[in-house]
């Protein structure tokens, strides 16, 4: 629905918000989190800022002495480490941490239904210890009254690096099939602010059966806040962004975690990914078995190519995603053919790509010099997006009417990554927002 | 009313955009005998064989710039469609304007959108030009929404032809934008408008889109691994072994309407995004039992239904390929066939590495799954129900025995 007035409001407000808040992340961005083997957590309450402007009361895990956060700190540990989490609790009810996928020993605190708990409003610690005996992506969740506490925000993610991990040649599981150039976490969740309000004003018992989520999150933020920088001061309880970017012809590792109670179909515009693992288990017939990836390199032999990942509550998924621009049928740089390049061999069969890519531009060689096959209408006939560079060509800036574009200074190709339950692209009844972000594919740094 | 709005929209078009609005069909052709100059706007060609598109290999394009050139023209705007309980819903959507002279497109297709959008079926290797003309919203002349085409799942998509308004451009009322796709991979995709996606998709800007495999073209008798190609065989993917072979295929797109949302749109009310709650679950734009009726819009007291039939009529022994996709904006759906099993051979437009057999497929918005149903052992006259096993999706609003259900009637 765009009324003329609304259109002005829309572009004006959103643009202003974007320009004020957006600090585009260029390649090499890493997953934010805390590394080590010993972590001290406190569960406490605070307010998160929903992108519709609402402050939502929440319960979160935080590093002791710091603010609670949504989601809780992402723990980045090494395979083989003995990991200890000490939790105390300022909340009005007991809480705890479950880490599905690992054999966790709990001590201290008080006994609970599923695990030992940190008692309410106390400095008494419960201590969870586990050996991170396998690499992968995992979630952690409250195991106390989880129907309410997970909704309230007591969730987080754990990344276990494989043995021998090297940040200069990273892999997810220790071999070339899971090698990547950049990695991003997408912890998906939703909230029903009515429940949060009921908790804040002390309603007892809290009605959770009428669950009606109207806020949807990636890494604890609603769109468009997903695209603001990590650790912006105006989102003190939501430190993590979700703005992936990658260069043409590189491998991106997407780590998805289902953090709420609904399924979310997460669609990757731009290309298919190869799902390489679920819940930290590689999709392979036998250890080391591989097949060619959809685009570049290899993946485990049972990897599933898809364009939408159903992220289930409590599940985790890892996918390798690349964008090569192969066989577009036109020159993505808008070269006219006079430029020379150096081509390397194409990928192995069964890929049908018979020629390779320029070693500098990573352009698909056979498309070199081919013109854009259409003539775009004039500016007055078009509505421009904030992530449009003004040109159909990669790394090119075109002329845009005043006030248009501006969110894509590297002039990369922008692709929306989002929930395809389109209802979830809203913030409390307001479109656009919710479970969405923008993935930017950049030309190589030449 | 229609005429009034038409005049109003025309005035607005002239007023706000001066004379810059322009319907332009781009089906490029060679402009000179030496094939050095391209005439990008080519011409409007007739769809000689009425397959809904203009194909060079059907001899429908004069001086095509490639032998695999295909041109389509979609009009985007509003329309009306009847649900299976007779309730008429206001909708946004697409219509197939292919072959219509540019000067006639606005008048011909205003308030002419159909649900679901026209099925796009092309071949692997095609060079596809899709011209999108925004004909405006006749029933909502206060709206100025642009539209796009998003080819959902297109591999190595470029931003400019991906149809996400935030990431590139969308086309304003009265104007045309042409998308280009060099189609590399076969498979089951889908398409939809991506402008204000929650609204435009709930309102119905959704359609089937699939690409047939080049393995279809191999000569009969060709050995494909352990399989030898027979006359009439087609293949979902270039499997190399006949494992995705089918005799007959049926696209099956799942979508659902929330009448409160559609009525709010028609009546210029605030749109209920947070309370969006679908009451009309549909297969290819119809609820049961309309799903069974032949192709062609079913007349209702006011208006008419979707023109698409979802009755499946394989001959006993056929291998049926069902190309399942979902563009539901609110729910996951689970699809089953009472009495026949499904072999999953593809998902996300790719052949699966490990096919498996199942009685149910759970599918979320933006997912596609290809299943083969082998009717060996059935007999002519047998009838099987294909339906959503979420039993609350088997209704047309308050009317029971409806919604996402159709029949497989063995011939
Ligand atoms: Cu639209
Ligand atoms: Cu889509």
């Amino acid at each position: 629905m765009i009324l003329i007035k609304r259109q002005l409001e829309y572009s004006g407000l959103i643009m202003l918000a974007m320009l004020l808040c957006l600090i585009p992340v260029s390649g090499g961005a890493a997953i934010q989190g805390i590394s080590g083997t010993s972590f001290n957590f406190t569960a406490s309450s605070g307010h998160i800022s929903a992108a519709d402007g609402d402050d939502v009361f929440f319960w979160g895990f935080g590093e002791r002495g710091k603010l609670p956060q949504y989601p809780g700190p992402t723990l980045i540990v090494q395979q083989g480490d003995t990991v200890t989490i000490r939790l105390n609790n300022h909340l009005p009810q007991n809480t705890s941490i479950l880490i599905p996928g690992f054999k966790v020993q709990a001590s201290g605190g008080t006994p609970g239904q599923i695990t030992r708990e940190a008692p309410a409003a106390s400095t008494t610690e419960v201590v969870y210890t586990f050996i991170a005996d396998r690499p992968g992506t995992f979630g952690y969740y409250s195991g106390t009254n989880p129907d309410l506490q997970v909704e309230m925000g007591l969730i987080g993610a754990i990344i276990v690096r494989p043995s021998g991990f090297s940040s200069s040649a990273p892999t997810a599981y220790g071999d070339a099939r899971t090698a990547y150039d950049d990695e991003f976490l997408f912890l998906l969740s939703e909230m029903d602010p009515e429940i949060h309000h009921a908790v804040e004003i002390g309603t007892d018992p809290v009605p959770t059966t009428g669950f009606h989520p109207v806020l949807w999150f990636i890494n604890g933020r609603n769109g468009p806040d997903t695209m603001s920088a990590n650790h912006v001061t105006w989102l003190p309880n939501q430190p993590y962004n979700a703005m992936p970017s990658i260069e043409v012809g590189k491998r991106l590792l997407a780590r998805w975690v289902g953090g709420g109670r609904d399924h979310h179909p997460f669609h990757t515009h731009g290309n298919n990914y190869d799902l390489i693992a679920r819940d930290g288990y590689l999709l392979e017939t036998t250890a080391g078995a591989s097949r060619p990836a959809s685009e570049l390199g290899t993946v485990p032999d049972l990897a599933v190519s898809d364009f939408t990942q159903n992220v289930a509550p409590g599940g985790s998924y890892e996918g390798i995603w690349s964008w090569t621009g192969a066989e577009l049928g036109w020159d993505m740089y808008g070269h006219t053919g006079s430029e020379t390049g150096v081509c390397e061999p194409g990928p192995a069969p069964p890929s049908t790509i018979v020629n390779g890519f320029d070693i500098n531009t990573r352009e698909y060689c056979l498309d070199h010099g081919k013109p854009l096959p259409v003539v775009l209408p004039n500016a007055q006939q078009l509505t421009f997006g904030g992530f449009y560079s003004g040109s159909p060509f990669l790394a090119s800036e075109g002329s845009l009417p005043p006030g248009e574009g501006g969110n894509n200074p590297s002039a990369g190709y922008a692709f929306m990554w989002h929930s395809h339950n389109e209802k979830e692209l809203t913030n409390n009844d307001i479109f656009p927002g919710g479970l969405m972000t923008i993935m930017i594919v950049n030309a190589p740094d030449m | 009313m229609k005429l009034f709005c038409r005049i109003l929209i025309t005035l607005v078009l002239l007023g706000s955009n001066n004379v810059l609005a322009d319907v332009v069909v781009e089906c490029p052709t060679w402009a000179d005998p030496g094939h050095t100059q391209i005439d990008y706007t080519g011409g409007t060609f007739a769809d000689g064989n009425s397959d809904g598109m203009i194909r060079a290999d059907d001899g429908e394009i004069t001086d095509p710039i490639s032998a695999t050139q295909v041109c389509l023209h979609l009009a985007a705007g509003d329309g009306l469609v009847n649900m299976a309980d007779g309730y008429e819903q206001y909708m946004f959507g697409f219509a197939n304007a292919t072959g219509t002279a540019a000067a006639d497109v606005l008048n011909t297709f205003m308030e002419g959108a159909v649900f679901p959008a026209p099925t796009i079926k092309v071949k692997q290797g095609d060079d596809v030009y899709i011209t999108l003309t925004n004909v405006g919203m006749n029933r909502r002349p206060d709206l100025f929404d642009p539209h796009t085409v998003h080819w959902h799942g297109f591999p190595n998509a470029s931003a400019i032809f991906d149809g996400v308004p935030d990431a590139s451009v969308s086309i304003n009322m009265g104007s045309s934008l042409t998308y280009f796709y060099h189609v590399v991979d076969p498979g089951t995709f889908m398409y939809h408008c991506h402008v204000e996606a929650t609204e435009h998709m709930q309102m119905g800007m959704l359609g089937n889109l699939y690409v047939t495999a080049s393995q279809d073209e191999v000569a009969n008798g060709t050995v494909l691994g352990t399989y030898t190609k027979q006359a009439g065989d087609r293949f979902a993917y270039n499997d190399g072994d006949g494992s995705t072979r089918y005799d007959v295929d049926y696209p099956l797109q799942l979508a659902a309407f929330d009448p409160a949302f559609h009525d709010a749109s028609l009546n210029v009310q605030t749109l209920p995004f947070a309370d969006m709650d679908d009451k009309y679950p549909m297969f290819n734009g119809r609820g049961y039992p309309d799903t069974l009726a032949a192709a062609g819009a079913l007349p209702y007291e006011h208006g008419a239904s979707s023109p698409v039939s979802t009755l499946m009529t394989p001959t006993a022994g056929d291998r049926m390929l069902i190309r399942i996709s979902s563009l539901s904006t609110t729910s996951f759906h689970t699809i089953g066939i009472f009495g026949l099993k499904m072999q999953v051979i593809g998902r996300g437009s790719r052949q699966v590495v490990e096919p498996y057999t199942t009685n149910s497929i759970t599918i979320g918005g933006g997912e596609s799954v290809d299943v083969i149903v082998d009717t060996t052992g059935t007999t002519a006259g047998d009838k099987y129900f294909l339906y959503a096993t979420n039993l609350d999706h088997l209704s047309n609003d308050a009317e029971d025995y409806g919604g996402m259900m159709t029949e497989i009637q063995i011939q």
Side-chain angles (χ1 to χ4, degrees):
Chain A
M1 172 184 57
I2 294 181
L3 317 175
I4 281 200
K5 180 167 167 291
R6 171 103 183 263
Q7 187 172 19
L8 290 174
E9 273 175 16
Y10 173 81
S11 51
L13 276 178
I14 298 286
M15 281 301 303
L16 185 65
M18 288 280 194
L19 289 175
L20 283 175
C21 309
L22 192 83
I23 302 173
V25 182
S26 53
I31 291 177
Q32 297 290 307
I34 50 178
S35 302
T37 57
S38 182
F39 305 97
N40 294 329
F41 275 16
T42 297
S44 61
S45 63
H47 288 84
I48 59 166
S49 176
D52 66 333
D54 197 16
D55 277 335
V56 181
F57 183 73
F58 87 112
W59 292 346
F61 297 115
E63 288 183 84
R64 195 162 303 160
K66 296 186 181 175
L67 293 172
Q69 58 179 73
Y70 186 60
T74 299
L75 305 182
I76 302 172
V77 304
Q78 301 291 320
Q79 182 180 7
D81 281 354
T82 298
V83 180
T84 304
I85 303 173
R86 298 169 179 278
L87 172 68
N88 67 12
N89 178 14
H90 296 167
L91 298 172
Q93 52 180 251
N94 290 5
T95 191
S96 59
I97 295 177
L98 297 181
I99 308 164
F102 295 102
K103 201 168 184 177
V104 181
Q105 307 285 332
S107 61
T110 62
Q113 258 187 333
I114 306 176
T115 184
R116 298 189 70 84
E117 301 179 335
S122 164
T123 55
T124 303
E125 283 184 342
V126 61
V127 182
Y128 303 103
T129 303
F130 66 97
I131 298 172
D133 54 2
R134 60 198 183 96
T137 308
F138 305 89
Y140 66 84
Y141 311 85
S142 163
T144 306
N145 195 9
D147 179 43
L148 177 66
Q149 293 197 358
V150 167
E151 163 69 27
M152 288 302 291
L154 291 163
I155 59 172
I158 299 178
I159 289 163
V160 182
R161 303 288 188 206
S163 300
F165 179 78
S166 156
S167 58
S168 59
T171 71
Y173 288 85
D175 66 49
R177 301 171 302 159
T178 66
Y180 59 87
D181 297 289
D182 284 297
E183 60 172 344
F184 295 90
L185 175 67
F186 304 92
L187 173 62
L188 312 185
S189 61
E190 65 286 322
M191 278 186 179
D192 175 356
E194 296 288 324
I195 295 173
H196 296 248
H197 183 64
V199 172
E200 187 169 24
I201 63 173
T203 309
D204 189 33
V206 178
T208 56
T209 49
F211 180 61
H212 182 59
V214 297
L215 293 170
W216 290 274
F217 302 83
I218 309 176
N219 297 342
R221 293 186 185 177
N222 314 117
D225 294 346
T226 46
M227 295 175 276
S228 297
N230 291 305
H231 304 290
V232 287
T233 53
W234 47 277
L235 294 170
N237 301 93
Q238 297 149 278
Y240 302 149
N241 77 359
M243 190 156 189
S245 66
I246 191 137
E247 286 184 1
V248 172
K250 297 285 185 181
R251 280 163 59 113
L252 177 147
L253 174 70
R255 301 175 181 268
W256 291 286
V257 178
R261 61 161 102 167
D262 282 344
H263 290 240
H264 303 286
F266 192 95
H267 175 47
T268 58
H269 276 251
N271 217 349
N272 277 38
Y273 56 88
D274 288 306
L275 181 72
I276 58 165
R278 276 193 300 256
D279 298 337
Y281 294 108
L282 282 169
L283 301 178
E284 60 185 359
T285 49
T286 53
S290 70
R291 69 162 174 83
S294 293
E295 294 295 332
L296 296 164
T298 65
V299 288
D301 63 336
L302 297 183
V304 179
S305 176
D306 210 334
F307 45 58
T308 303
Q309 182 58 43
N310 173 6
V311 178
S316 72
Y317 311 82
E318 286 144 341
I320 294 285
W321 188 92
S322 303
W323 192 93
T324 63
E327 302 191 77
L328 268 183
W330 48 283
D331 190 313
M332 66 185 181
Y333 290 110
H335 295 152
T336 54
S338 54
E339 305 82 357
T340 51
V342 184
C343 283
E344 61 187 1
S351 169
T352 54
I353 297 170
V354 295
N355 200 346
F357 298 88
D358 186 287
I359 59 170
N360 296 310
T361 64
R362 302 200 195 118
E363 178 180 9
Y364 179 64
C365 295
L366 288 182
D367 283 342
H368 185 61
K370 291 185 186 171
L372 187 74
V374 303
V375 178
L376 296 174
N378 62 49
Q380 289 82 356
Q381 295 175 285
L382 294 170
T383 297
F384 296 98
F387 287 87
Y388 186 51
S389 69
S391 165
F393 302 119
L394 190 63
S396 289
E397 304 251 11
S399 61
L400 283 168
E404 303 288 354
N407 292 336
N408 184 2
S410 59
Y413 275 169
F415 297 108
M416 191 181 282
W417 282 24
H418 64 101
S419 169
H420 218 286
N421 264 353
E422 305 281 333
K423 180 184 177 179
E424 300 175 353
L425 302 184
T426 57
N427 299 323
N428 208 350
D429 216 23
I430 298 168
F431 180 94
L435 211 166
M436 63 79 63
T437 188
I438 297 280
M439 160 83 194
I440 305 250
V441 174
N442 285 311
D445 214 1
M446 284 174 284
Chain B
M1 181 66 185
K2 189 170 174 177
L3 181 66
F4 171 77
C5 293
R6 194 165 282 176
I7 292 166
L8 187 68
I9 286 178
T10 308
L11 286 174
V12 168
L13 285 174
L14 292 173
S16 68
N17 292 343
N18 282 315
V19 288
L20 294 162
D22 198 6
V23 177
V24 175
V25 182
E26 291 192 44
C27 188
T29 55
W30 290 116
D32 59 329
H35 290 188
T36 57
Q37 292 292 317
I38 293 172
D39 176 1
Y40 281 95
T41 54
T44 303
F45 298 100
D47 178 12
N49 61 0
S50 301
D51 61 353
M53 54 191 151
I54 310 292
R55 298 190 60 97
D57 58 10
D58 285 340
E60 292 166 331
I61 305 175
T62 310
D63 294 325
I65 58 169
S66 91
T68 50
Q69 185 174 341
V70 179
C71 298
L72 279 149
H73 186 184
L74 296 173
D78 62 353
L80 295 155
V81 63
N82 270 84
M83 302 290 96
D85 63 353
Y87 193 67
E88 192 175 49
Q89 291 275 258
Y90 180 57
M91 53 161 287
F92 301 166
F94 297 97
N96 193 344
T98 304
T100 304
D104 297 335
V105 169
L106 293 182
N107 271 329
T108 307
F109 292 97
M110 191 167 284
E111 207 180 305
V114 293
F115 183 71
T119 293
I120 297 176
K121 175 190 173 185
V122 294
K123 293 181 199 169
Q124 184 181 358
D126 282 349
D127 288 304
V128 180
Y129 296 79
I130 300 179
T131 297
L132 175 68
T133 297
N134 182 343
V135 302
M137 309 290 201
N138 197 47
R139 293 284 182 116
R140 285 293 307 272
D142 57 318
L143 293 182
F144 295 86
D145 294 27
H147 296 293
T148 63
V149 170
H150 168 51
W151 178 321
H152 178 111
F154 192 81
N156 284 306
S158 64
I160 191 71
F161 299 135
D162 193 41
V164 173
D166 317 63
S168 61
V169 298
S170 42
I171 192 69
N172 295 337
M173 271 170 46
S175 293
S176 308
L177 169 64
T178 297
Y179 296 80
F180 173 80
Y181 309 94
H182 175 56
V183 180
V184 178
D185 292 322
T188 300
F189 301 85
M190 60 203 91
Y191 77 104
H192 55 86
C193 175
H194 219 294
V195 174
E196 307 197 302
T198 311
E199 176 187 356
H200 286 210
M201 291 175 63
Q202 166 65 229
M203 288 300 289
M205 306 193 78
L206 327 164
N208 284 294
L209 190 167
Y210 57 98
V211 179
T212 58
S214 57
Q215 192 175 297
D216 287 356
E217 320 286 332
V218 304
N220 297 334
T222 302
V223 175
L224 300 164
T226 55
Y227 185 75
T228 302
K229 194 199 175 210
Q230 309 292 313
D233 280 351
R234 286 175 290 160
F235 305 90
Y237 293 94
N238 298 309
D239 51 48
D241 60 5
S243 59
T244 70
R245 175 177 64 83
Y246 64 91
D247 300 295
V248 55
D249 64 335
Y250 297 96
L252 182 74
Q253 189 160 88
L254 284 50
F257 279 3
D258 172 6
F261 194 97
H262 289 250
D263 290 351
S265 178
L266 179 62
N267 297 315
V268 200
Q269 301 297 306
T270 305
L271 298 173
F273 286 110
D275 290 332
M276 189 183 285
D277 187 13
D278 290 329
K279 301 291 190 198
Y280 288 108
M282 290 175 276
F283 284 159
N284 297 326
R286 291 179 180 177
Y288 186 85
D290 285 4
T291 47
L292 306 180
L298 300 170
Y300 276 92
E301 192 181 345
H302 305 286
S305 78
S306 154
V308 180
S309 172
T310 309
L311 177 63
M312 301 181 183
T313 54
T315 301
D318 275 355
R319 281 165 65 90
M320 301 166 59
L321 169 66
I322 308 180
R323 301 174 176 276
I324 308 170
S325 63
S326 175
L327 283 171
S328 210
T329 54
T330 65
S331 310
F332 281 76
H333 304 282
T334 301
I335 300 300
I337 305 174
F338 204 68
L340 292 173
K341 59 194 180 193
M342 298 181 275
Q343 187 189 30
V344 175
I345 54 104
R347 61 177 306 128
S349 76
R350 305 286 166 93
Q351 185 182 357
V352 300
V353 179
E354 267 201 319
Y356 62 94
T357 299
T358 181
N359 270 331
S360 68
I361 299 293
T362 298
I363 185 168
E367 291 191 276
S368 75
V369 179
D370 299 295
V371 302
I372 296 272
V373 176
D374 188 342
T375 62
T376 301
T378 64
T379 310
D382 286 356
K383 184 166 87 175
Y384 299 91
F385 286 95
L386 187 161
Y387 63 104
T389 58
N390 319 77
L391 301 180
D392 56 327
H393 300 170
L394 296 180
S395 61
N396 306 313
D397 197 3
E399 181 183 277
D400 212 349
Y401 295 104
M404 288 179 171
M405 181 154 64
T406 188
E407 295 174 11
I408 300 170
Q409 297 176 359
I410 307 291
Q411 307 296 302

